[in-house]
Amino acid sequence: MIKSVIFDFDGVLVESAEVKTDAFGQLFSTYPDKVHEIVEYHKKNMGISRYVKFRYFYKNILGKELSNDEEIELGEKFSQIVLEKILKAPFVGGALDFLDKYHKKISLFIASGTPDEELYYITKKRGISHYFKEIHGAPRKKPEILIDILSRYSWRASEVIFVGDAESDLKAAKKSGVCFIARISPSSDKRLSGCPFKINSMHELEKTINKIMLSKKSQGKPLSKISSRRMT
């Protein structure tokens, strides 16, 4: 039986992955000879905290020291660039339908690289925070979040699904042992194309979860027939 589905946020629930890619380009536009390398690094490491990326950019691409104050300022500027656009970005097709149908039947979570405070604000403003049992973002990393959820709720890894659109999401799923579903879109990590379970939109999520249950020879009911009682 599937007890929980954990979602990444950008590019999985909301079509906002490109918003953040553009934001990195804008934020570092004062380094025109380096901005392409910066954006490409971000695209290859989507799903990782922006602060981790800032430190990498300064050390390995710009060759500069990054002070704590500068890091905070970069984070604030990044939030200013992306926040309004993310609040207006469309939901991934089928996301709201799935959340509305299943939030009282199974436990839903978010595990994102977006800072906690910003993530709470966005989900509340977009009217979806009530769908989730817990919402987690940076500074904790996704593997830590997933392992913590499994531990606190005493769930087996086989009872939990993680839906993401980046290689970092796949790695987090592997480290925690949970099953991974890749959301494939034009902006998702191309390295996910080999994942055994893939969806283009959330319209396909229920069917794909049921395929996973069959592949594991699960004795539980299909997701569509789970009781309306929350399973926590």
Side-chain angles (χ1 to χ4, degrees):
M1 181 71 73
I2 297 300
K3 300 291 183 66
S4 173
V5 179
I6 305 173
F7 299 90
D8 178 37
F9 186 77
D10 295 300
V12 173
L13 294 175
V14 175
E15 300 284 17
S16 49
E18 285 294 337
V19 169
K20 293 192 172 180
T21 299
D22 293 342
F24 279 109
Q26 183 176 337
L27 191 63
F28 289 93
S29 60
T30 51
Y31 302 94
D33 59 329
K34 301 291 187 180
V35 69
H36 176 75
E37 186 177 357
I38 286 170
V39 169
E40 286 303 304
Y41 180 85
H42 157 70
K43 289 167 70 173
K44 291 178 181 178
N45 295 276
M46 294 175 68
I48 295 174
S49 166
R50 66 193 65 167
Y51 294 100
V52 173
K53 293 173 185 175
F54 293 157
R55 293 169 206 141
Y56 180 90
F57 297 156
Y58 269 71
K59 180 179 180 180
N60 298 285
I61 298 177
L62 302 179
K64 299 174 63 176
E65 292 290 330
L66 178 62
S67 70
N68 288 336
D69 289 343
E70 287 173 323
E71 183 177 301
I72 291 170
E73 183 179 1
L74 282 171
E76 291 174 348
K77 288 181 178 179
F78 190 90
S79 294
Q80 291 169 4
I81 293 170
V82 303
L83 192 55
E84 184 176 353
K85 293 178 181 179
I86 291 176
L87 291 176
K88 293 180 179 179
F91 285 101
V92 171
L96 286 180
D97 291 339
F98 186 92
L99 297 178
D100 192 58
K101 181 175 181 179
Y102 285 107
H103 76 285
K104 292 183 179 179
K105 301 178 181 181
I106 57 178
S107 296
L108 306 179
F109 296 77
I110 292 177
S112 170
T114 299
D116 272 330
E117 186 176 349
E118 186 176 310
L119 190 61
Y120 299 152
Y121 177 80
I122 291 169
T123 53
K124 185 174 182 180
K125 290 290 287 186
R126 299 219 54 162
I128 61 172
S129 59
H130 67 285
Y131 288 129
F132 301 99
K133 189 171 186 65
E134 296 174 6
I135 295 171
H136 298 282
R140 288 204 300 167
K141 296 180 180 180
K142 292 177 186 177
E144 178 187 352
I145 294 170
L146 299 185
I147 292 169
D148 177 56
I149 290 172
L150 290 174
S151 175
R152 286 189 291 110
Y153 290 93
S154 299
W155 290 329
R156 297 190 299 273
S158 61
E159 297 174 321
V160 176
I161 304 286
F162 183 38
V163 187
D165 69 334
E167 188 181 37
S168 62
D169 298 329
L170 174 59
K171 289 179 177 178
K174 287 181 176 179
K175 188 167 184 177
S176 63
V178 305
C179 188
F180 182 69
I181 296 177
R183 193 267 162 142
I184 305 298
S185 73
S187 60
S188 62
D189 195 317
K190 304 307 179 186
R191 290 168 291 185
L192 298 182
S193 59
C195 290
F197 299 106
K198 300 184 289 288
I199 58 175
N200 294 309
S201 74
M202 294 300 122
H203 291 298
E204 306 164 53
L205 184 56
E206 179 184 304
K207 182 178 179 180
T208 303
I209 291 174
N210 286 335
K211 284 183 180 179
I212 290 171
M213 294 172 69
L214 288 172
S215 73
K216 293 178 178 293
K217 298 182 179 179
S218 170
Q219 299 302 308
K221 296 179 181 178
L223 189 63
S224 58
K225 296 183 178 179
I226 288 177
S227 149
S228 61
R229 178 175 58 85
R230 179 181 289 277
M231 307 181 106
T232 58

